Structure formats: C-alpha cells, structure tokens
Amino acid sequence: MSRDPLVITIGERTLALQSGDITKVPANAIGNAANSALRGGGGVDGAIHRAGGPAIMRELDAIRERIGKCTPGDAVATGAGDLPARWVLHAVGPIYRDGRHGEPEALASCFRRCMELAGELGARSLTLPAISTGVYGYPLDAAADVAVRTVVEILKAPETRLRRVTFVLFGKAPFEAFQRASNRLLGPTP
Ligand code: AR6
C-alpha cells in the first residue's frame, strides 16, 4: 500500500508527494498548469483561479500586455490572492504529441522555471501539480519521471533556496505514478 504523504529527504531538503487539491495545501508558492494565453482554463488552472479570486487574473492581464504569450516550458509569477500562499507560478506545459517533439525538455523546463522563480522570490516551500498530464495528454508515468528527476536535481544543487517541494496529485493514479517514479529514481523509501 502507498504511504500518503510520502516524504523523502534529499540532503537538508525535502521532496514530498501527497494526494489532494493543491488549492488547499499551504505553501509559500504554488505552481499552476496554465496555457500560453495565460487566460485561465479548466483543471488545476480553473481551481486556482476560483480559489484565488480575480486579483490573479488582473495581474496576468498586465503581464500579457507586457510579454504577449508565455511559451511552453516557461512560467510567470503573480500574487496568490485568497490562496494559502504568497505567489502562484503559472507554468505552461507542452501539449503531448508522441514524446519526440521536445515534450520532455519543455516539461522539465516548466518545473525548472517554477523552482527558479520560487527561489528568486524567496520562497522556501513550493507545491506543484502534475503539469501537462490532464487536458494536455502527457502520459502519467513518463511525466512523473521528468517531474521527479528535474525537481530532485535542483533540490540536490547547493544554490536553491527552496527547502521543500511537494507534488500535490489529484487522485490515486497520479499519486501512484509519482510514487513509482520516485522509487525508480531514488530507490524505495524505507
Ligand atoms: N489540485 C491538484 N491537481 C489538480 C487539480 C487540483 N485542484 N485539478 C486538476 N488537477 P490539467 P494540463 C490535476 O488539465 O494537462 C487548463 O485548461 C489533473 O488531474 O489541469 O497541463 C489550462 O488552462 C492533472 O493530473 O493541466 C490549459 O489550457 C494535472 O492537474 C490546460 O488545462 C494537470 O491537468 C493545461 O493542461
């Protein structure tokens, strides 16, 4: 049976996996699975805007005026409105085709950008959803592999100011996929 949450120590830092609704889990910064237009949508994006309130979209309107679209693999930061956090990091995941069109690189880049932005803002804790695994169709096990590998790599690096990264996974299937990925990459947790 799977332990939930699953907490893994990486040096002085922590990687955690838990199931649930990311809008309910307090953290300094929350990652979002947005789209290039930054106009909100369904899935986790819809849940974040509903729970966070209209202040988040007002900030995104201003960002859109400045930069136009946000390319897949990149992310932008706003305040978190009514969410139990200070910042939301809106990352744009790749739309999955067959895995040979730069999807793994773009997905890794989303997680890297979220962690970079979180570090720049001074966040110590970050929650992340399983970006691209809903509407964008990225197969769960492959996405979990990229997500866990990228986050662990950065948590092992001396520069990051982040202390704790938690994947908040919506349901049993994504939770178990991320657990398998962490077992593959880090070995089974004692
Ligand atoms: N908390 C945590 N995870 C969630 C939640 C939640 N409240 N709700 C859904 N998920 P998706 P994508 C999971 O479709 O594939 C939007 O319309 C969900 O089960 O939200 O990157 C955007 O505006 C899945 O595992 O994001 C874009 O247009 C994961 O979050 C597009 O969808 C991602 O699913 C982005 O598609």
Side-chain angles (χ1 to χ4, degrees):
M1 265 313 286
S2 45
R3 248 178 307 157
D4 181 4
L6 183 66
V7 179
I8 300 156
T9 302
I10 296 174
E12 290 174 358
R13 301 180 178 130
T14 304
L15 170 68
L17 312 180
Q18 75 177 71
S19 60
D21 175 351
I22 201 167
T23 66
K24 301 272 184 344
V25 181
N28 294 159
I30 299 181
N32 183 19
N35 53 58
S36 287
L38 301 172
R39 289 187 191 278
V44 69
D45 198 10
I48 282 177
H49 281 281
R50 271 194 307 279
I56 298 177
M57 190 51 81
R58 278 199 294 274
E59 274 191 66
L60 286 175
D61 289 341
I63 290 172
R64 212 180 306 115
E65 280 200 5
R66 227 176 41 238
I67 68 164
K69 283 176 183 286
C70 181
T71 24
D74 205 357
V76 301
T78 66
D82 301 327
L83 288 162
R86 283 186 68 181
W87 302 283
V88 178
L89 311 175
H90 306 263
V92 181
I95 298 172
Y96 190 83
R97 288 168 68 184
D98 56 7
R100 291 195 222 112
H101 288 80
E103 298 95 327
E105 292 76 15
L107 187 61
S109 170
C110 282
F111 291 110
R112 235 181 347 261
R113 287 294 295 138
C114 282
M115 292 180 78
E116 276 169 15
L117 285 173
E120 284 165 24
L121 290 163
R124 294 303 169 108
S125 60
L126 168 67
T127 51
L128 290 168
I131 298 171
S132 281
T133 65
V135 176
Y136 282 0
Y138 211 117
L140 262 180
D141 281 292
D145 233 71
V146 171
V148 173
R149 181 176 306 118
T150 306
V151 167
V152 167
E153 229 171 68
I154 299 172
L155 284 177
K156 281 184 175 164
E159 307 85 59
T160 185
R161 294 162 74 189
L162 278 167
R163 285 284 166 271
R164 184 184 185 95
V165 175
T166 305
F167 285 107
V168 183
L169 304 154
F170 205 54
K172 197 165 172 221
F175 179 81
E176 289 181 351
F178 273 66
Q179 189 181 36
R180 282 192 296 277
S182 87
N183 285 345
R184 271 195 303 276
L185 295 163
L186 300 165
T189 32

